[in-house]
């Protein structure tokens, strides 16, 4: 079992920045991929970014490339999502997820989920 706890959400003006954290416990993450997903009001949950823990390989959805950066801290067993140049359309509940294996972009491929953290970007 992997337990995931997100933090760092909040209210920010357009153009601002936030850093989300996802603290993982219960397993060594060497063989895992960690993903960030988001679900906006009335929308499906969608892929944002992911990182392969062992190699540091990353992937992003097109709409956040150049603005968001995913990273991990091995010592803290924590994944981060640095979000810059935020836009109102980034408003959503952001979820951290984990899966054994490589990066995937579909929600059904991830077996472990956090509770989510709200990000609201005002215009």
């Amino acid at each position: 079992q992997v337990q995931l706890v997100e933090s760092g959400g909040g209210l920010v003006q357009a153009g601002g920045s936030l850093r989300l954290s996802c603290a993982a416990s219960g397993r060594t993450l060497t063989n895992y991929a960690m993903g960030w997903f988001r679900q906006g009001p009335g929308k499906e949950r969608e892929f944002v970014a992911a990182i392969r823990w062992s190699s540091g390989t990353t992937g992003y959805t097109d709409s956040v490339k150049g603005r968001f950066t995913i990273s991990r801290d091995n010592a803290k067993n924590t994944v981060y999502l640095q979000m810059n140049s935020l836009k109102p359309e980034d408003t959503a509940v952001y979820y951290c997820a984990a899966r054994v294996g490589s990066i995937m972009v579909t929600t059904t491929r991830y077996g472990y989920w956090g509770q989510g953290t709200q990000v609201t970007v005002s215009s």
Side-chain angles (χ1 to χ4, degrees):
Q1 290 283 354
V2 176
Q3 291 79 44
L4 304 172
V5 179
E6 303 100 331
S7 61
L11 173 64
V12 64
Q13 289 188 331
S17 299
L18 281 174
R19 188 178 78 158
L20 305 183
S21 300
C22 173
S25 60
R27 283 283 191 273
T28 301
L29 299 176
T30 304
N31 296 321
Y32 282 73
M34 305 294 293
W36 284 99
F37 290 77
R38 66 186 179 186
Q39 188 166 14
K43 297 182 180 180
E44 298 286 324
R45 193 170 299 188
E46 64 175 358
F47 172 78
V48 176
I51 187 167
R52 183 75 166 93
W53 193 272
S54 57
S55 65
T57 301
T58 60
Y60 299 89
T61 192
D62 286 346
S63 63
V64 307
K65 285 180 180 177
R67 300 190 298 124
F68 291 12
T69 302
I70 189 170
S71 62
R72 85 265 196 243
D73 185 323
N74 290 325
K76 296 183 178 180
N77 240 29
T78 298
V79 175
Y80 302 99
L81 186 68
Q82 177 66 43
M83 306 186 294
N84 298 328
S85 302
L86 282 161
K87 304 175 181 180
E89 50 264 44
D90 295 317
T91 294
V93 178
Y94 283 71
Y95 297 90
C96 178
R99 69 179 306 274
V100 176
S102 58
I103 292 172
M104 293 286 181
V105 300
T106 52
T107 58
T108 55
R109 294 290 191 170
Y110 287 78
Y112 303 98
W113 292 86
Q115 81 288 351
T117 185
Q118 177 71 47
V119 171
T120 303
V121 184
S122 63
S123 57

